[in-house]
Amino acid sequence: MDYAPFETSRLRFEPLSEEHLEGYHEIWSDERCARWSLRGATKSLEDSRARLLGVTPSPSNPNVVNYAIRLRSSVDSSEPTIAVFGCYKVSPPEAELGYLFNANHWGKGYASEAIIAFIPKFFELQPDVDVIHAIVDSDNGGSVRVLEKAGFKATDQIVEPAIFPLIGPEPRGGSTLFAKYRLS
């Protein structure tokens, strides 16, 4: 699938590619950013490259719609990627949303702005998808608030335990499934 960059008043979304590796690595190797990921932080640039290639949209990987986000004031390709954002596991009629922001950009409203801009664009790109899910650990209050601001609704509690490598070795239960439905 071919999709183009787009912008909000403060953010520029660029289809994720290897060009974004440096910023991607900065985000994924930061344990603060990867805290709530089941995958944990990357340990090296090569680990980040392998992970990036697994979520980069391509003809051989058509089930992802992922973007790198830069600030609009820094669209020069030498400027950093501040977030990795999009849907993976695109399997109509459903898709799963995921995102990570560089910790230096938390608390500025960028995540809410990104989701609010992305959802209609994603539904336009994926006409066969009717619902976008996001799975968030119930203790991840920042992401819960971001999803609620963007109109996602909690639809289910997931009790099956999961291990978050950066939180500890013990399985945790209590994730919440959020959903955003296509408006007819």
Side-chain angles (χ1 to χ4, degrees):
M1 170 200 340
D2 188 27
Y3 52 98
F6 68 96
E7 297 180 341
T8 67
S9 62
R10 301 184 299 165
L11 306 174
R12 177 171 173 78
F13 291 71
E14 301 172 353
L16 185 63
S17 72
E18 202 163 352
E19 168 190 323
H20 303 105
L21 177 60
E22 186 177 320
Y24 186 91
H25 176 65
E26 185 176 337
I27 294 165
W28 270 104
S29 63
D30 184 333
E31 291 187 357
R32 297 170 298 168
C33 300
R35 174 179 172 87
W36 297 106
S37 168
L38 296 174
R39 300 172 83 185
T42 57
K43 303 293 184 211
S44 69
L45 187 63
E46 285 310 308
D47 288 347
S48 292
R49 182 186 317 279
R51 190 172 290 179
L52 179 137
L53 292 175
V55 297
T56 300
S58 69
S60 63
N61 195 12
N63 295 327
V64 297
V65 177
N66 284 320
Y67 288 91
I69 298 177
R70 300 181 201 259
L71 296 177
R72 277 192 62 190
S73 61
S74 62
V75 295
D76 179 330
S77 64
S78 66
E79 292 296 325
T81 298
I82 68 159
V84 180
F85 191 96
C87 284
Y88 60 103
K89 297 182 185 175
V90 177
S91 181
E94 300 178 346
E96 188 171 330
L97 178 71
Y99 51 88
L100 283 177
F101 278 78
N102 182 304
N104 296 326
H105 297 281
W106 291 354
K108 298 177 181 178
Y110 295 142
S112 297
E113 181 177 336
I115 291 177
I116 290 166
F118 174 78
I119 297 301
K121 179 66 72 177
F122 178 78
F123 281 139
E124 179 184 309
L125 291 168
Q126 295 284 331
D128 295 334
V129 173
D130 293 323
V131 62
I132 299 172
H133 295 286
I135 300 172
V136 179
D137 187 283
S138 302
D139 289 339
N140 186 350
S143 275
V144 168
R145 285 187 297 281
V146 162
L147 291 167
E148 289 172 343
K149 282 185 204 174
F152 279 72
K153 303 289 183 211
T155 58
D156 201 3
Q157 281 297 119
I158 300 170
V159 294
E160 116 188 8
I163 296 173
F164 293 83
L166 297 174
I167 295 175
E170 297 300 316
R172 296 171 49 87
S175 291
T176 303
L177 179 67
F178 284 84
K180 175 76 174 179
Y181 294 89
R182 176 187 297 275
L183 299 176
S184 301

